[in-house]
Amino acid sequence: MKILFTSILLLFTLHTYAQTNTNLIVSHCTLSEIDVNTIPGNSECTPKNYDFFDTQYHKITVHSTVKENYVLRFNYILFEDFKLWQVDRSGTKLLVDMENNSKPTKYDRSLGIPITFALNGVETVDFYYQINNKGFPVDNLFWVLSEDEFEKEVDFEENIKLTTRTIVISLLFIGIILGLIIQEKLFLFYTLSSISAFLFFESESGIITNLLSHNHFNLTKYLLVFSSYSYSISTFYFYVFLIFSNKNRVPKFAFKIVHIASVVGFISILMYPFSSYYPNIVNFLLAQLSTIFTLVLFCLYLMVIILGIKSKEKLAIPTLVIFLITTIFVLFFSVLPNMGVYKKLNFTRTLYFIIFTFDIIYYLLLILKKTSSIIKERNDLQIQNQLIQQKYSLAVIKGQEDERNRIGRELHDHVGGNLALINKSKDLDTDNVKEILKHTIKSVRSLSHGLVSPEYDKEDFEDILLDLCAKYKSNHLNIHTTYTIDVPIQSQVVKNHCYRILQELFSNALKHSEATDIFIDFMLDQTTHMMTIFYEDNGIGFSTCSSNEGIGIKNIKFRVNALNAKVAFTSEEKGTYITISEIQIYQ
């Protein structure tokens, strides 16, 4: 940061010193009007404030006490209509006529309009010019330099542009590669924002200016307007994703404003064909809308940063630092000079390239810092996921072991015991043996039904649940069911877990609760599409302490967790109440 400010200060000092020429006297004034056929004619200086649509007339007088070659350099070139005349002892010459596509100098258009002339140390040269930018702001700043100073300045400016272009293109390439690897929206908006800013500068005073400005003034200006909108919008999203992990932290009205700006920007592109028919109106509207939305989005940037600081986001303060640096730079080197507070420096455009490059480097460092945090969070989540998978595997293995033990006990206690009794019987045709066989067959059927899953895809889930209730219903146990879900449950996982949970609840009720009535309600929230299961019985209850949980309760909790749902147990002497909520039926 210190290096940047030191470089800018040194640059400012060197250029100020280089342009201090006590032998040169330059004066400038406005004219009420000039007759282009009789220049100079009767052209007296008259203080005048011009409006947006007025044709402006100006006069520049240059005198030097030494013999020297000089350059009159206009900083800006994208005028709709610009004419420049030189008046000296040899007469009047028309040097520039933008309307008729004249190309006045050997230099690139990106350098503005440099006019070379000579002074012999005695004479005075007058320059008259008129401008009509048809609704767009007029930037008619100029400087008079010796030819040697101008050549040095051009070399310096071109070197700066070449260096910054190389850095910017390299960083954009790095940003694109990282974006493809990390796959975060942050890189997308970083790239869009940087490309838009790059397009803006190259359209105003770069490669695009030189290529298009001679024959396509309007197209170049529309590229400026488009890149301005694009930069403002993409930078807003860039700030949001840079500072916050979730864009929902930013108020919705901010996004609505940005969407409106996007629509206006798109409409401005569609207005380009009409600019040749109604140039004043179209250009004025575009310029004003672009300025208004830029200021509005500027306020939104600040709002996002302040929200980030209040939320204690790590990158909010570093973002505020670069935001303030860029804002102060634009204020002192562009806004205040354009308001007429003081004259704009002739190397301001060079500083724009420098500060733009600095911004891109700084933002990329912030992105890399955030990317490092994202990667760390992903690694932590991956480790947590691995631990969850391990716990899940252990739970599955334990569940399988418990199920094997249960099946073993069922076979040993009921089937094995009954078969042993039959084996001891001397007469196999007695009613007692037949009754034992009947109970044995019932036990085996019940055991097999508990192990085999229903064919969920062939039967309606409600019918499957009602069939399950019917199997457990007996003379000693009534099961009352309410099923109010009017949409089909497609997920086989949800069906299977819900079926097994009910199976476990009914089994526990039969074995332990001594309940005579069970009530089951299935309800669906139409807004969230989440299902809730309510269970109630009138049994003797059980202890809800986790240390006293049996296998059945553990199995229920395991399946509820597998559904990403929630379960609540309430048990007392008068009965048990269980609520299983937030079951996503579409998972």
Side-chain angles (χ1 to χ4, degrees), residues 80-112:
E80 291 282 341
D81 180 21
F82 178 83
K83 292 182 177 66
L84 175 69
W85 295 268
Q86 179 179 336
V87 179
D88 55 20
R89 61 180 178 175
S90 62
T92 301
K93 291 183 291 186
L94 177 62
L95 301 178
V96 181
D97 185 357
M98 287 290 185
E99 195 171 23
N100 294 316
N101 298 326
S102 66
K103 190 172 183 180
T105 69
K106 62 182 179 179
Y107 299 104
D108 289 346
R109 288 296 184 102
S110 61
L111 298 174

Side-chain angles (χ1 to χ4, degrees), residues 28-71:
H28 168 263
C29 66
T30 58
L31 306 174
S32 59
E33 193 174 359
I34 58 176
D35 185 351
V36 297
N37 298 316
T38 61
I39 291 177
N42 183 20
S43 4
E44 297 294 332
C45 290
T46 304
K48 185 174 180 62
N49 294 321
Y50 293 106
D51 293 328
F52 283 103
F53 304 118
D54 291 341
T55 299
Q56 301 185 17
Y57 302 96
H58 300 264
K59 177 183 177 181
I60 301 171
T61 301
V62 183
H63 174 73
S64 177
T65 58
V66 297
K67 185 178 181 179
E68 182 74 77
N69 290 330
Y70 291 98
V71 176

Side-chain angles (χ1 to χ4, degrees), residues 170-213:
S170 301
L171 293 179
L172 284 176
F173 179 76
I174 293 173
I176 292 171
I177 297 299
L178 289 175
L180 293 174
I181 295 173
I182 307 298
Q183 294 184 351
E184 287 286 334
K185 290 182 180 180
L186 176 63
F187 288 95
L188 170 64
F189 291 110
Y190 168 77
T191 304
L192 290 176
S193 176
S194 301
I195 291 176
S196 299
F198 187 70
L199 178 64
F200 181 87
F201 291 122
E202 294 296 341
S203 298
E204 187 180 47
S205 58
I207 296 173
I208 298 176
T209 310
N210 193 45
L211 291 176
L212 299 180
S213 64

Side-chain angles (χ1 to χ4, degrees), residues 48 113 128 163 238 252 358 379 506 560:
K48 185 174 180 62
I113 306 175
Y128 294 83
T163 303
F238 172 69
K252 292 183 179 180
F358 172 73
N379 291 335
F506 294 156
V560 169

Side-chain angles (χ1 to χ4, degrees), residues 547-565:
S547 59
N548 295 326
E549 286 180 353
I551 294 174
I553 299 300
K554 290 181 179 179
N555 286 340
I556 291 172
K557 286 186 175 181
F558 170 76
R559 294 190 181 279
V560 169
N561 289 332
L563 290 170
N564 291 320

Side-chain angles (χ1 to χ4, degrees), residues 242-266:
L242 176 66
I243 297 174
F244 299 101
S245 299
N246 186 355
K247 71 174 187 178
N248 293 331
R249 302 284 297 278
V250 179
K252 292 183 179 180
F253 75 85
F255 293 99
K256 291 181 180 179
I257 294 174
V258 174
H259 294 161
I260 293 172
S262 303
V263 173
V264 173
F266 180 72

Side-chain angles (χ1 to χ4, degrees), residues 121-327:
V122 178
E123 67 176 330
T124 297
V125 175
D126 292 326
F127 294 93
Y128 294 83
Y129 64 94
Q130 72 172 40
I131 301 174
N132 189 333
N133 216 14
K134 297 181 180 178
F136 278 114
V138 173
D139 183 356
N140 63 340
L141 292 174
F142 68 90
W143 291 268
V144 179
L145 307 148
S146 69
E147 197 167 28
D148 291 338
E149 289 174 342
F150 176 73
E151 293 292 343
K152 291 178 182 178
E153 188 171 276
V154 168
D155 290 339
F156 176 78
E157 187 173 320
E158 290 299 312
N159 289 332
I160 289 293
K161 287 181 180 180
L162 179 62
T163 303
T164 54
R165 283 169 185 153
T166 303
I167 294 173
V168 169
I169 292 173
S170 301
L171 293 179
L172 284 176
F173 179 76
I174 293 173
I176 292 171
I177 297 299
L178 289 175
L180 293 174
I181 295 173
I182 307 298
Q183 294 184 351
E184 287 286 334
K185 290 182 180 180
L186 176 63
F187 288 95
L188 170 64
F189 291 110
Y190 168 77
T191 304
L192 290 176
S193 176
S194 301
I195 291 176
S196 299
F198 187 70
L199 178 64
F200 181 87
F201 291 122
E202 294 296 341
S203 298
E204 187 180 47
S205 58
I207 296 173
I208 298 176
T209 310
N210 193 45
L211 291 176
L212 299 180
S213 64
H214 184 59
N215 295 313
H216 303 283
F217 291 103
N218 284 346
L219 180 57
T220 308
K221 289 183 178 180
Y222 274 80
L223 282 176
L224 284 172
V225 173
F226 169 76
S227 57
S228 175
Y229 273 113
S230 178
Y231 173 78
S232 300
I233 293 168
S234 55
T235 300
F236 170 79
Y237 281 101
F238 172 69
Y239 278 165
V240 170
F241 287 102
L242 176 66
I243 297 174
F244 299 101
S245 299
N246 186 355
K247 71 174 187 178
N248 293 331
R249 302 284 297 278
V250 179
K252 292 183 179 180
F253 75 85
F255 293 99
K256 291 181 180 179
I257 294 174
V258 174
H259 294 161
I260 293 172
S262 303
V263 173
V264 173
F266 180 72
I267 293 175
S268 68
I269 300 172
L270 299 179
M271 292 173 68
Y272 171 67
F274 302 97
S275 61
S276 57
Y277 300 102
Y278 310 101
N280 288 351
I281 297 175
V282 173
N283 292 347
F284 178 76
L285 286 175
L286 288 179
Q288 299 307 308
L289 287 173
S290 178
T291 303
I292 291 171
F293 277 109
T294 299
L295 292 175
V296 170
L297 289 171
F298 176 87
C299 295
L300 292 181
Y301 302 160
L302 193 58
M303 182 196 72
V304 170
I305 295 172
I306 292 173
L307 286 175
I309 294 174
K310 287 183 176 180
S311 303
K312 297 183 179 179
E313 297 289 342
K314 294 180 180 179
L315 296 182
I317 292 180
T319 304
L320 177 64
V321 171
I322 187 62
F323 176 79
L324 291 177
I325 290 174
T326 306
T327 301

